[in-house]
Amino acid sequence: NAGVTQTPKFQVLKTGQSMTLQCAQDMNHNSMYWYRQDPGMGLRLIYYSASEGTTDKGEVPNGYNVSRLNKREFSLRLESAAPSQTSVYFCASTGRHNKNTGELFFGEGSRLTVL
Amino acid sequence: AQSVTQPDIHITVSEGASLELRCNYSYGATPYLFWYVQSPGQGLQLLLKYFSGDTLVQGIKGFEAEFKRSQSSFNLRKPSVHWSDAAEYFCAVGDLSGGYNKLIFGAGTRLAVHP
């Protein structure tokens, strides 16, 4: 009953280092999302993938890249980390929209600190 | 552009008291509206959603919300708060064009419950 799994849960980076956050879902969902959560700002969409093979920018894509590796996996990469990217990152997924769905299923988050 | 405003950053209530969390949205068409709850260190969990029909929707954990188009509001209510309801609550509006769900979140309201 895993749902959405994110790794790592915690990471400390130095400015300029790179890293990849991994996300996998086992619910056969088409769409996947990466959000960041910052105090007083709620969740802001970084990138999303409406279906396998497609990715699109959200509200705050600068400094990030994504890969939809297959239907299950959607990774988020920071090529050159900056202190402004210190945040909690959430991956989410959802099935094809109909009136009975629309719900996003979230992972437990990855807390990233950039020094 | 779609947006969500949660006017209250922090709310404190006594256990057993009633609760109302405010949410106002801006959206050009009929909105799809959601309330999510986040317990400390956890991901987000869906409380309830409004797509159409009855403007009073029931959710999990005894929560309900009322959609008021004239006021562009979707306030969350609970008649009697329990200590376990202490968490952060997020209102969201869904952009469901394209057949997938892209949520815009408010900044959140942190609820504290006094014994």
Side-chain angles (χ1 to χ4, degrees):
Chain A
N1 205 17
V4 178
T5 303
Q6 295 180 228
T7 56
K9 287 187 168 39
F10 300 93
Q11 184 73 49
V12 179
L13 292 177
K14 294 180 180 178
T15 297
Q17 287 185 319
S18 63
M19 77 157 298
T20 299
L21 298 176
Q22 307 285 354
C23 175
Q25 51 89 11
D26 61 3
M27 295 173 283
N28 200 35
H29 284 165
N30 292 302
S31 303
M32 299 185 72
Y33 310 79
W34 277 106
Y35 285 87
R36 61 176 289 173
Q37 182 180 26
D38 302 291
M41 304 190 74
L43 280 80
R44 292 179 293 169
L45 184 62
I46 304 171
Y47 270 94
Y48 62 100
S49 171
S51 60
E52 186 178 357
T54 69
T55 60
D56 286 285
K57 296 179 180 179
E59 300 172 69
V60 288
N62 291 345
Y64 304 96
N65 286 301
V66 291
S67 296
R68 183 74 182 267
L69 305 171
N70 48 55
K71 191 171 185 179
R72 290 186 64 249
E73 298 173 288
F74 188 40
S75 62
L76 178 72
R77 183 161 178 83
L78 288 70
E79 291 290 352
S80 179
S84 61
Q85 294 177 305
T86 294
S87 187
V88 181
Y89 292 85
F90 286 97
C91 179
S93 69
T94 190
R96 188 169 297 280
H97 164 63
N98 60 49
K99 288 190 176 180
N100 294 319
T101 60
E103 175 181 358
L104 291 187
F105 293 82
F106 284 84
E108 293 187 346
S110 299
R111 184 175 295 275
L112 175 65
T113 301
V114 183
L115 302 175
Chain B
Q2 302 98 343
S3 66
V4 177
T5 302
Q6 294 181 245
D8 305 305
I9 299 173
H10 295 278
I11 285 184
T12 301
V13 300
S14 298
E15 191 168 17
S18 64
L19 172 70
E20 182 169 28
L21 303 183
R22 295 183 291 165
C23 172
N24 294 97
Y25 67 89
S26 172
Y27 192 72
T30 300
Y32 295 82
L33 296 161
F34 305 81
W35 274 100
Y36 282 81
V37 60
Q38 184 183 31
S39 298
Q42 300 296 313
L44 279 72
Q45 180 186 20
L46 181 69
L47 278 178
L48 48 78
K49 59 190 176 187
Y50 171 79
F51 280 5
S52 64
D54 194 345
T55 57
L56 184 64
V57 294
Q58 303 296 322
I60 62 172
K61 305 184 181 186
F63 285 92
E64 65 179 26
E66 186 171 13
F67 169 58
K68 293 185 177 180
R69 184 187 300 275
S70 62
Q71 299 177 19
S72 297
S73 69
F74 189 56
N75 294 348
L76 182 71
R77 300 194 294 249
K78 186 169 185 179
S80 178
V81 170
H82 188 263
W83 64 266
S84 60
D85 293 325
E88 190 155 21
Y89 292 80
F90 294 93
C91 182
V93 62
D95 177 355
L96 297 172
S97 59
Y100 58 91
N101 189 1
K102 188 171 66 175
L103 293 191
I104 307 298
F105 286 86
T109 298
R110 186 170 297 278
L111 174 66
V113 180
H114 280 180

